[in-house]
């Protein structure tokens, strides 16, 4: 039985953003690690590679390195209040020369770090 354009395999690939034309979908693929393979690791369907390409920060954007002064002010603010309000977020962003989303993300990450530390202490 010939696979039509809407086979289960085709639908699975299209849901992962890897839909191929009918002719390409029917051709056998060489096994991963084959020296003749022209595919990049992201095309191999490895979930680890796919998650890296899809999730996380914008590709190519470097990780933010906070200065000691910025960290000191963020930690001081965190000690006062674990959840930051909109006005405090705006103030910190202006004072520390960071974006509001960077401030928000830092607080989210810091709360998770705090949670891990308190759980480990028990």
């Amino acid at each position: 039985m010939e696979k039509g354009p809407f086979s289960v395999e085709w639908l699975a690939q299209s849901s992962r953003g890897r839909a191929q034309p009918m002719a390409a979908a029917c051709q056998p693929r060489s096994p991963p690690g084959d020296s003749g393979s022209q595919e990049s690791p992201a095309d191999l369907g490895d979930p680890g590679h796919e998650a890296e390409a899809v999730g996380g920060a914008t590709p190519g954007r470097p990780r933010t390195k906070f200065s000691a002064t910025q960290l000191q002010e963020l930690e001081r603010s965190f000690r006062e209040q674990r959840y930051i309000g909109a006005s405090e977020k705006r103030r910190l962003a202006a004072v520390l020369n960071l974006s509001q989303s960077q401030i928000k993300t830092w607080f989210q990450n810091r709360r998770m770090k705090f949670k891990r530390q308190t759980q480990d202490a028990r």
Side-chain angles (χ1 to χ4, degrees):
M1 181 175 151
E2 185 176 322
K3 296 179 186 173
F6 297 109
S7 68
V8 173
E9 291 84 9
W10 184 88
L11 288 172
Q13 287 177 349
S14 66
S15 69
R16 285 183 255 143
R18 294 183 25 189
Q20 299 174 351
M22 177 70 170
C26 294
Q27 294 176 351
R29 296 174 69 171
S30 58
D34 184 6
S35 60
S37 176
Q38 298 283 327
E39 298 173 358
S40 68
D43 292 336
L44 294 176
D46 182 359
H49 291 293
E50 194 168 322
E52 290 173 9
V54 175
T58 305
R61 184 184 174 280
R63 180 181 177 135
T64 302
K65 286 198 164 198
F66 296 101
S67 70
T69 308
Q70 289 171 328
L71 287 172
Q72 194 174 23
E73 182 65 22
L74 287 164
E75 288 288 349
R76 184 196 61 74
S77 184
F78 182 79
R79 281 191 303 272
E80 291 176 7
Q81 196 167 3
R82 289 192 198 129
Y83 289 87
I84 189 166
S87 60
E88 179 67 5
K89 191 189 318 174
R90 279 192 299 271
R91 185 192 74 77
L92 279 174
V95 168
L96 300 176
N97 197 25
L98 296 168
S99 69
Q100 290 184 37
S101 65
Q102 287 173 311
I103 302 289
K104 179 190 74 142
T105 302
W106 186 90
F107 267 80
Q108 288 173 336
N109 291 337
R110 186 61 181 87
R111 284 191 299 270
M112 291 308 295
K113 180 180 178 180
F114 179 78
K115 182 179 176 183
R116 281 192 311 270
Q117 288 172 336
T118 55
Q119 286 176 345
D120 289 346
R122 290 182 187 160

